[in-house]
Amino acid sequence: MLLCDIGNTSYHFLEDSKEYKKNVYDFHPESVSERVYYICVNTSVQEKLKNLENWVDLSVYVNMEKYYTTMGKDRIFAIEAVENGVILDAGSAITVDVVQDGIFMGGFIYPGVKAMEQTYANISPALAYSFNFELNLDKMPKNSQDAISYGFLKTLQSEVVSYKLPIILTGGDAQELQKIFPEAQLENELLFHGMKKIIKEADIC
């Protein structure tokens, strides 16, 4: 089975247990002859795929009444993979979604690690630090790097832990966030698990 998550810059493929990426600017989807099950947030790529019968858009098989209309497909398919938990997708933005008994309860969007570091640097060059993920969040900081780290990380940690549900981390900065959520499950293929679930439920394989 060939799965593909298409973003603004890349095609992210999963073929059985093998992952690989192709650049959206020089990859030609018509070169693939086998059936591909995909989701896509890139509107220009979506237009290309409409005329390719072997590329199957999985988003049409999702019950969108469970979600809000402007919600990203990547968030939706990650949620579809979870029965109970708080999902943190740590990319250019950090999305936090709460799922209970398979029902999406709501979620919020937080600036990503790099975006928040840049925000502090924009305030003053004296605040141009990278975050200290090793920080003890049970103690008040006594230096500038720890002060900005605490302001960002403690707020996020406190909100996520308050739901008292299993925490699932995914995305590029997931390993860093695991340092403040040591009990969390790291799941880099969460979105693909959601895609497989939809394929099985829709019986389209």
Side-chain angles (χ1 to χ4, degrees):
M1 181 183 295
L2 185 56
L3 306 177
C4 189
D5 168 29
I6 306 166
N8 290 315
T9 60
S10 66
Y11 292 77
H12 183 189
F13 289 96
L14 178 68
E15 186 171 12
D16 298 324
S17 60
K18 178 185 176 183
E19 288 188 63
Y20 56 95
K21 292 186 178 182
K22 299 290 185 180
N23 192 300
V24 296
Y25 302 108
D26 55 27
F27 178 71
H28 302 287
E30 64 273 14
S31 66
V32 180
S33 58
E34 61 190 292
R35 178 173 290 191
V36 185
Y37 300 94
Y38 77 92
I39 63 170
C40 180
V41 298
N42 187 314
T43 53
S44 61
V45 172
Q46 183 69 54
E47 283 300 313
K48 294 180 184 177
L49 299 179
K50 282 182 179 179
N51 299 320
L52 300 177
E53 293 184 1
N54 61 312
W55 285 75
V56 181
D57 184 359
L58 290 178
S59 63
V60 302
Y61 296 96
V62 175
N63 179 8
M64 292 303 298
E65 292 181 359
K66 299 188 294 182
Y67 305 103
Y68 57 87
T69 55
T70 57
M71 192 168 179
K73 294 175 184 177
D74 48 353
R75 288 175 66 191
I76 290 170
F77 276 81
I79 290 166
E80 288 289 329
V82 175
E83 187 68 18
N84 286 285
V86 183
I87 304 167
L88 274 79
D89 189 343
S92 53
I94 296 174
T95 58
V96 180
D97 293 303
V98 180
V99 187
Q100 287 184 304
D101 298 322
I103 299 171
F104 171 56
M105 306 302 293
F108 61 92
I109 302 172
Y110 209 68
V113 171
K114 290 181 177 60
M116 189 59 93
E117 286 176 348
Q118 188 58 52
T119 296
Y120 282 111
N122 289 341
I123 294 170
S124 168
L127 299 178
Y129 292 99
S130 58
F131 291 127
N132 176 15
F133 289 92
E134 309 287 349
L135 179 66
N136 183 350
L137 294 176
D138 293 325
K139 295 178 65 175
M140 291 296 287
K142 291 186 176 180
N143 62 69
S144 294
Q145 182 183 24
D146 288 352
I148 67 167
S149 301
Y150 187 96
F152 175 66
L153 299 175
K154 182 67 174 183
T155 304
L156 180 62
Q157 183 205 49
S158 298
E159 178 67 19
V160 170
V161 170
S162 71
Y163 298 109
K164 296 181 171 59
L165 288 167
I167 300 167
I168 302 151
L169 299 174
T170 190
D173 287 316
Q175 286 187 318
E176 294 284 26
L177 288 180
Q178 196 171 35
K179 295 173 184 176
I180 65 168
F181 299 108
E183 303 301 318
Q185 173 187 347
L186 189 63
E187 183 52 82
N188 290 323
E189 294 183 4
L190 186 64
L191 186 150
F192 289 123
H193 293 326
M195 293 172 73
K196 289 177 181 178
K197 179 189 173 189
I198 294 298
I199 290 169
K200 183 177 180 179
E201 289 178 348
D203 193 23
I204 55 175
C205 185

